[in-house]
Amino acid sequence: MPEAQSGSAALPQEALEIAAGYAFGGPALDLGALLWDGVCLPDAQVRIPLPMLNRHGLVAGATGTGKTKTLQLIAEQLSAQGVPVFLADIKGDVSGISAPGARNEKVQARAAEVHQRWEATGFPAEFYALGGIGHGIPVRATVTSFGPLLLSKVLQLNQTQEQSLGLIFHYADQKGLELVDLKDLRAVVAFLTSDEGKGELKNIGGLSTATAGVILRSLTAFEAEGMADFFGEPEFDTAELLRTADDGRGLVSVLELAAVQDRPRLFSTFLMWLLADLFHDLPEVGDVDRPKLVFFFDEAHLLFNGASKAFLDSLTQTVRLIRSKGVGVFFVTQTAKDVPADVLAQLGNRVQHALRAFTPDDQKALKATVKTFPDSAYDLEELLTGLGTGEAVVTVLSERGAPTPVAATRLRAPESLMGPVDAGALDAAVRSSSLYGRYAQAVDRESAYEKLDSRGAKGPDEMKAPRRPHEEDPSVVEQVVGSGMFKSLARSVGTQIGREITRSLFGTARARRRR
């Protein structure tokens, strides 16, 4: 923190105490300068300790209050300190992080107000797009990897239908029927309700015709909306998100979602798949000097809307446990009320932009948000409705893990471009990426659909994947719904090999990867 000027001694005692709460000794991210009684105090810097970024956070505020710029500001500084970042780009305006910002009067004025040494800087970035819809390297997942719990949320299934989908996945695992894309899943459901296959699940509950019909209709509607492109191979390896650039800066992975923003349930659930997949790939590391990755989950309320209890329980547990693997998660939404209490309790770092109080519902949300903050020297209800664009109320975890005092903050200006880069430049960056050749072209290999279509006179047991010599019978645990052994192609190998599937908290499956 810069040395206080002589005038700082005349500050009110409350302001001095707040400033002292952010005087960290180790590496930290600079958010901005303290606001007190409407005055910006540039010598009282508000910061977040770098090791605390894996303790998760919340960036909230009404539309137009500057949440996206706050994400950009934090992402830039993480990258500069060698930490990879993942950004979900809902509106299509985060791509500018790869290009130097434009110096203008507004930026210069903000930098002077908060004592920021502003320098136009672009940061190393990779650009992705779900299923290749939009500008970016295609990100796909196999149906098997996505798992029944996340897929149930996407398909808007109820609890009974969700459980039945779990049985279907279990059966496919046991019989070596690889669920690569949606037509594979549809083929397995159709087989299990046919005269030939309807007895297959009898011993573990069966699959009713009515439930199967709901699942099939949901899949058909899902595909009719153009969703089939998101499921298939080559499946995206989430280890790509953990890379650094040649100069040591963390790579900023930008997932463009503007082209699919009218399908919020899909993209929010797909983001959860990325996080769940990372959870199972990464080793336990405990507390670290800096995070391995910081993951920004924009429009987070969409993830929780209509979610089953099983889904919410799994999400809460994943967020709780992934911290010990060095991954920080920031949820971005309008109010703290959008996030379930069990998840909110794990978000130690808070950046709350302005809220509106025009309606009774607005006022209720405002009061609820105020209650989520520690005791404060501010009148938070009044403050939160009076903050300007680029201002926020902040509280983070100190180096000791204790909450810092609540600080009204005038935020710094991002040093990269605050807006999208030119579409032509973006496409050129995508095609020149070393990952483009690996993921650009979709592959449709033999899987459940083809096996069931060509089974001929073979019975279900004859379709089962051949067992390796000396391989033991599956254990009771392996036969539990959502687990098993089956044959598949490792995504980087062109021959058939055995692959063990481990179902995670979300029922997702993790394949052994070869890079």
Side-chain angles (χ1 to χ4, degrees):
M1 174 176 146
E3 292 184 5
Q5 297 176 349
S6 58
S8 296
L11 292 176
Q13 183 62 31
E14 295 96 330
L16 288 172
E17 290 174 359
I18 294 171
Y22 292 87
F24 309 126
L29 275 59
D30 296 307
L31 293 179
L34 182 67
L35 285 170
W36 182 259
D37 199 21
V39 177
C40 182
L41 309 175
D43 295 305
Q45 292 290 306
V46 177
R47 317 169 77 211
I48 304 179
L50 185 61
M52 292 296 112
L53 266 295
N54 73 329
R55 300 295 181 94
H56 309 323
L58 176 73
V59 178
T63 301
T65 55
K67 296 191 298 296
T68 301
K69 300 302 178 283
T70 297
L71 301 190
Q72 197 167 339
L73 174 67
I74 296 174
E76 289 176 354
Q77 295 186 62
L78 285 167
S79 174
Q81 300 208 42
V83 178
V85 177
F86 173 89
L87 292 176
D89 188 6
I90 303 292
K91 297 184 289 291
D93 57 1
V94 181
S95 60
I97 198 167
S98 63
R103 184 184 294 274
N104 55 44
E105 290 183 6
K106 188 177 293 186
V107 166
Q108 288 180 301
R110 175 57 61 95
E113 286 174 343
V114 299
H115 282 190
Q116 175 186 6
R117 295 177 181 174
W118 191 91
E119 183 177 347
T121 309
F123 294 82
E126 288 276 17
F127 300 99
Y128 301 99
L130 285 187
I133 297 180
H135 302 277
I137 297 163
V139 174
R140 305 180 186 90
T142 64
V143 170
T144 282
S145 174
F146 210 70
L149 193 54
L150 290 177
L151 191 59
S152 293
K153 185 173 191 303
V154 170
L155 297 177
Q156 303 183 55
L157 303 182
N158 64 27
Q159 184 175 355
T160 299
Q161 295 153 2
E162 180 181 292
Q163 291 168 349
S164 295
L165 190 61
L167 290 177
I168 294 165
F169 271 69
H170 170 60
Y171 175 81
D173 282 358
Q174 293 296 310
K175 298 299 181 180
L177 297 171
E178 300 93 331
L179 303 177
V180 174
D181 51 28
L182 293 180
K183 73 177 185 297
D184 291 323
L185 179 57
R186 196 172 348 97
V188 173
V189 176
F191 172 75
L192 291 173
T193 53
S194 68
D195 291 339
E196 182 182 356
K198 63 184 178 183
E200 289 293 300
L201 299 181
K202 186 182 297 183
N203 293 333
I204 51 174
L207 176 66
S208 76
T209 302
T211 297
V214 171
I215 293 173
L216 286 172
R217 286 193 297 273
S218 297
L219 285 170
T220 300
F222 194 60
E223 290 179 285
E225 294 174 3
M227 306 301 190
D229 292 335
F230 304 112
F231 295 93
E233 292 180 320
E235 184 173 75
F236 183 69
D237 186 346
T238 52
E240 311 287 9
L241 305 179
L242 303 172
R243 295 178 298 141
T244 56
D246 292 340
D247 61 5
R249 291 185 295 173
L251 201 64
V252 181
S253 297
V254 180
L255 179 64
E256 179 186 314
L257 297 169
V260 294
Q261 61 180 313
D262 58 337
R263 308 162 200 175
R265 191 179 298 269
L266 172 72
F267 73 67
S268 65
T269 312
F270 219 101
L271 294 184
M272 200 65 238
W273 170 77
L274 290 173
L275 196 60
D277 196 70
L278 281 165
F279 175 85
H280 267 272
D281 277 357
L282 292 172
E284 295 280 340
V285 294
D287 291 326
V288 290
D289 293 337
R290 62 184 181 183
K292 289 186 174 182
L293 173 71
V294 177
F295 194 101
F296 288 93
F297 215 126
D298 205 357
E299 300 291 341
H301 66 282
L302 298 171
L303 185 67
F304 306 112
N305 288 349
S308 68
K309 184 179 185 302
F311 182 90
L312 291 176
D313 288 346
S314 297
L315 188 154
T316 302
Q317 196 167 359
T318 300
V319 172
R320 181 184 298 121
L321 297 176
I322 203 168
R323 180 192 70 79
S324 65
K325 301 198 173 190
V327 176
V329 182
F330 273 70
F331 292 97
V332 186
T333 189
Q334 294 205 3
T335 73
K337 184 184 170 188
D338 295 333
V339 181
D342 287 345
V343 176
L344 189 63
Q346 300 175 55
L347 311 183
N349 302 302
R350 301 276 302 278
V351 181
Q352 176 68 60
H353 288 265
L355 291 173
R356 309 303 181 212
F358 300 142
T359 69
D361 285 344
D362 288 344
Q363 292 168 1
K364 186 177 179 180
L366 173 62
K367 291 181 183 295
T369 297
V370 169
K371 289 179 181 178
T372 64
F373 280 91
D375 291 339
S376 168
Y378 297 95
D379 179 342
L380 286 180
E381 281 195 39
E382 180 180 347
L383 179 62
L384 285 172
T385 56
L387 290 170
T389 302
E391 296 177 347
V393 171
V394 174
T395 180
V396 302
L397 294 180
S398 71
E399 293 164 312
R400 298 181 295 105
T404 58
V406 175
T409 307
R410 183 159 292 161
L411 299 167
R412 292 182 168 220
E415 296 184 333
S416 56
L417 183 65
M418 289 187 275
V421 297
D422 177 74
L426 184 57
D427 284 336
V430 169
R431 293 182 181 279
S432 64
S433 168
S434 61
L435 303 182
Y436 185 77
R438 187 179 306 169
Y439 295 110
Q441 187 63 45
V443 176
D444 187 12
R445 63 178 175 86
E446 183 186 54
S447 48
Y449 173 82
E450 289 79 11
K451 289 182 178 180
L452 288 169
D453 190 53
S454 63
R455 67 187 184 277
K458 291 183 179 180
D461 290 335
E462 293 176 86
M463 292 189 297
K464 191 170 183 178
R467 184 174 294 176
R468 292 179 176 181
H470 312 300
E471 189 173 338
E472 297 180 358
D473 289 335
S475 67
V476 174
V477 173
E478 288 171 330
Q479 296 182 54
V480 172
V481 173
S483 176
M485 297 285 294
F486 70 92
K487 303 284 283 183
S488 81
L489 292 176
R491 62 181 56 143
S492 61
V493 181
T495 57
Q496 193 171 16
I497 61 172
R499 180 172 72 181
E500 180 180 359
I501 292 299
T502 305
R503 298 273 179 214
S504 76
L505 296 169
F506 274 96
T508 56
R510 172 181 166 276
R512 290 195 185 102
R513 295 185 171 114
R514 292 179 60 180
R515 298 293 303 279

